[in-house]
Amino acid sequence: MPNLKPLRIILFILLLLPAQLCIAQKHYTVKQIPDPKATGGPGYVSNPDAVLSESDVAWLNQIIARLEEQTNVQIAVVAVNDFDEHAEVFDFALQLFRTWGIGKAHADNGLLLFVATNRREYRFITGYGLEGLLPDAALKKIGDNYMVPAFKEGAYGSGITNALTAIADYLSQEGNKNELDQLMLKQKHVEKPWMETIGICVLIILAAIPILRSTKKHMPFVAGKTNRTNGYDKVITVGCGGLFIIGFVLVFLSAFTIGFGWLKIITLAAVPYILYGLIAVGLFFRYYAALGANRNFYKDDENFANAVQQLNKVAWWYGILSPLILIGIFIEEIRRRNIVKRFKAPLDTRKQPMLRINRDNNKDGKPYITSGQLAEENAGVYIYDIWVSADGKENKVIANQGDNFDDFTDCPQCKFKTLCKPKTITLVNATYSREGKGKEVRRCDNCNYEELIKMVVFPMLTKSSGSSGSSSSGSGSSSSSSSWGGGSSGGGGAGGKW
């Protein structure tokens, strides 16, 4: 059957194709390198491409485990065929070391041996703590003497085993072991600063309590609600809104893009700084709340300026916990001095100083200002200073711009600057079965003149789909279960080729 021979060849090729696909080389990223401790196991060797035999892996794990038991040094071995084709072996190995956190935290006594057979390269990466015991030249010599000759013969297991045995014997020597013990003492000292941290936090809180009480003494009680807004209230509103937006964006990005891994950088030692920052921002808002309370309490600017002066005398001390307050004090002091310039008494026709009417005693300004001028004051457009001669026969009314001067225009009907910016008024509320109606208008706060801009339609209310089960715990593929010690490296070590 000679015609069957081509068919057999075709079938043989088809059988080989899946095998070729299975053995296709993988260019690993750092996240794709299997962490031998990610599952909580005792392993130290990552061997995804079976570069090492099972017996080699078992023997290496035994050597490294014994060394860690004796000296607390952590060694990781990674053997792959290839990795990210756009990365250099040093950069890749260093990133892998830092991602896993090889070695004990603060002792930084970790060592990584990374081998890529297709590139015929190896790289040692040492933690900060091992750079003195295992200098680059020593690691280079170990690699050249033990690994390169074996790797040239394809004996990766024996080459790595001989190199790590030499390193383990060296680190286990009495003098080197004592130095490694000192690293662990340093770690214990750094890893247990909780008493110191708690003490600092308590001191910060105890320092903040009298400041909070002090500001309360300078926050007069305003009976009932006031419709007037001032710049101080706007600072608090904008500041709190900005913090909320920042927090929302950070949570959103963490939940859907970058993940919550960045929280790992928040160490115990950073807690006092975070607390200080939160208190600093809180006290800054507290200072402006005190300014806002005084602004709402005192209609008279001279009384308000005196209250601000008294507040600022003690607020300088607040700067110890909130340097932001110093900025506010500086701005308010400039503003207060500009206000005080208004209180120099003008002269009447007899060249005698006039007397200023205390607006907290005469809130309506009668009989010196009109109802329209009073409406401008209530809207925060103008602040009127009223001066009266000693005999009461002469008076002067001086207009000063208020906080909301730019928010109003002149009313075409009453001619006072009391026509507000456009605002939407609801006429019919929207329901689940019908649309709502409203109008966008500009109204005069004095004569109630209304200028219609346009009619507005509000969409019908819609019921939520109730898909409350969408909070899946996906993206949980991080290696947070890794039990490496959290060590770090500055890039020390050595590498070579064969």
Side-chain angles (χ1 to χ4, degrees):
M1 304 285 292
N3 292 333
L4 290 179
K5 187 173 181 180
L7 181 61
R8 290 176 181 176
I9 294 174
I10 292 173
L11 289 174
F12 180 72
I13 293 174
L14 291 175
L15 288 173
L16 283 179
L17 284 176
Q20 291 295 323
L21 292 175
C22 291
I23 63 173
Q25 300 301 329
K26 183 173 184 178
H27 293 80
Y28 293 95
T29 64
V30 169
K31 291 184 178 180
Q32 291 174 336
I33 299 290
D35 185 347
K37 292 188 177 293
T39 58
Y44 302 87
V45 181
S46 180
N47 185 39
D49 295 329
V51 173
L52 306 173
S53 67
E54 292 184 4
S55 60
D56 289 333
V57 172
W59 183 240
L60 287 171
N61 279 328
Q62 184 177 340
I63 294 173
I64 300 171
R66 187 186 306 118
L67 179 66
E68 182 176 10
E69 183 180 354
Q70 294 174 351
T71 65
N72 290 297
V73 171
Q74 278 191 341
I75 299 179
V77 176
V78 176
V80 295
N81 287 330
D82 211 339
F83 58 94
D84 186 353
E85 56 191 7
H86 301 294
E88 297 294 332
V89 65
F90 168 75
D91 297 327
F92 190 88
L94 178 59
Q95 186 181 357
L96 181 61
F97 185 108
R98 291 173 173 172
T99 300
W100 287 0
I102 304 166
K104 307 296 184 182
H106 306 295
D108 298 324
N109 54 350
L111 174 66
L112 168 66
L113 172 57
F114 182 78
V115 178
T117 58
N118 283 4
R119 297 200 190 186
R120 305 175 71 85
E121 288 186 89
Y122 73 88
R123 185 74 202 190
F124 283 109
I125 298 290
T126 56
Y128 287 111
L130 289 185
E131 288 181 353
L133 283 172
L134 293 174
D136 299 353
L139 289 173
K140 176 67 174 174
K141 186 176 181 180
I142 290 173
D144 290 343
N145 290 344
Y146 292 99
M147 292 194 298
V148 170
F151 288 178
K152 288 181 178 180
E153 302 295 328
Y156 301 110
S158 61
I160 295 174
T161 299
N162 292 336
L164 292 194
T165 300
I167 292 173
D169 291 343
Y170 174 74
L171 294 178
S172 299
Q173 294 177 10
E174 193 64 28
N176 296 333
K177 191 173 181 301
N178 291 337
E179 189 170 339
L180 292 170
D181 290 341
Q182 292 298 317
L183 289 177
M184 294 307 299
L185 289 175
K186 174 185 174 183
Q187 181 211 21
K188 292 177 180 179
H189 174 74
V190 176
E191 280 190 341
K192 296 183 179 180
W194 56 273
M195 287 294 293
E196 180 181 346
T197 300
I198 291 175
I200 295 174
C201 291
V202 170
L203 288 176
I204 294 174
I205 293 172
L206 290 177
I209 291 175
I211 292 178
L212 292 173
R213 290 179 177 175
S214 175
T215 53
K216 189 174 182 180
K217 295 179 181 178
H218 294 273
M219 296 176 69
F221 175 72
V222 181
K225 293 184 177 180
T226 176
N227 293 326
R228 292 195 304 161
T229 59
N230 55 68
Y232 307 111
D233 297 333
K234 291 178 181 178
V235 169
I236 298 174
T237 301
V238 173
C240 292
L243 291 177
F244 175 80
I245 292 174
I246 292 172
F248 176 80
V249 170
L250 186 59
V251 171
F252 180 85
L253 292 177
S254 299
F256 297 101
T257 57
I258 63 176
F260 290 91
W262 59 271
L263 291 172
K264 294 179 181 179
I265 67 176
I266 302 177
T267 62
L268 186 62
V271 171
Y273 296 99
I274 296 174
L275 177 63
Y276 181 89
L278 293 175
I279 289 179
V281 173
L283 291 178
F284 176 76
F285 288 146
R286 180 78 168 183
Y287 171 73
Y288 268 86
L291 291 172
N294 280 282
R295 180 69 280 181
N296 291 332
F297 184 80
Y298 293 107
K299 182 181 180 69
D300 189 272
D301 273 359
E302 186 172 13
N303 295 335
F304 171 68
N306 292 333
V308 171
Q309 186 177 31
Q310 295 301 315
L311 172 62
N312 285 347
K313 283 181 180 179
V314 297
W316 285 105
W317 296 100
Y318 305 167
I320 298 174
L321 282 183
S322 181
L324 292 172
I325 289 180
L326 299 179
I327 301 175
I329 292 174
F330 179 75
I331 294 173
E332 288 309 308
E333 188 61 22
I334 294 176
R335 184 178 298 172
R336 186 190 69 81
R337 293 186 180 185
N338 289 332
I339 291 176
V340 170
K341 293 177 182 178
R342 289 169 29 199
F343 306 141
K344 183 178 179 180
L347 302 179
D348 60 15
T349 55
R350 295 181 301 166
K351 306 300 181 182
Q352 296 297 316
M354 302 182 78
L355 304 176
R356 186 176 179 277
I357 298 296
N358 188 329
R359 297 304 304 283
D360 287 320
N361 296 331
N362 185 353
K363 294 184 182 297
D364 294 335
K366 294 180 179 179
Y368 307 105
I369 64 174
T370 66
S371 60
Q373 290 173 317
L374 181 61
E376 289 176 328
E377 276 196 333
N378 291 334
V381 176
Y382 286 114
I383 300 170
Y384 289 100
D385 289 331
I386 304 172
W387 298 90
V388 181
S389 62
D391 59 8
K393 294 181 180 180
E394 299 179 40
N395 67 79
K396 290 183 179 181
V397 177
I398 301 175
N400 305 279
Q401 287 188 12
D403 291 336
N404 302 328
F405 180 84
D406 294 328
D407 294 338
F408 291 82
T409 56
D410 292 339
C411 173
Q413 180 168 289
C414 67
K415 308 306 180 183
F416 287 100
K417 192 178 175 69
T418 48
L419 189 66
C420 70
K421 289 183 176 181
K423 60 182 177 180
T424 301
I425 298 175
T426 301
L427 300 177
V428 179
N429 290 322
T431 66
Y432 292 108
S433 59
R434 71 162 186 243
E435 295 177 330
K437 295 181 180 179
K439 58 182 179 179
E440 186 177 345
V441 298
R442 299 180 70 189
R443 272 185 177 175
C444 176
D445 285 5
N446 179 43
C447 65
N448 291 326
Y449 165 81
E450 184 174 287
E451 179 182 288
L452 178 64
I453 299 175
K454 63 178 180 180
M455 300 301 295
V456 179
V457 176
F458 304 115
M460 289 191 299
L461 302 179
T462 57
K463 296 181 180 180
S464 61
S465 60
S467 57
S468 59
S470 61
S471 58
S472 65
S473 60
S475 71
S477 60
S478 66
S479 59
S480 59
S481 58
S482 173
S483 58
W484 298 101
S488 57
S489 170
K497 298 184 177 183
W498 67 91

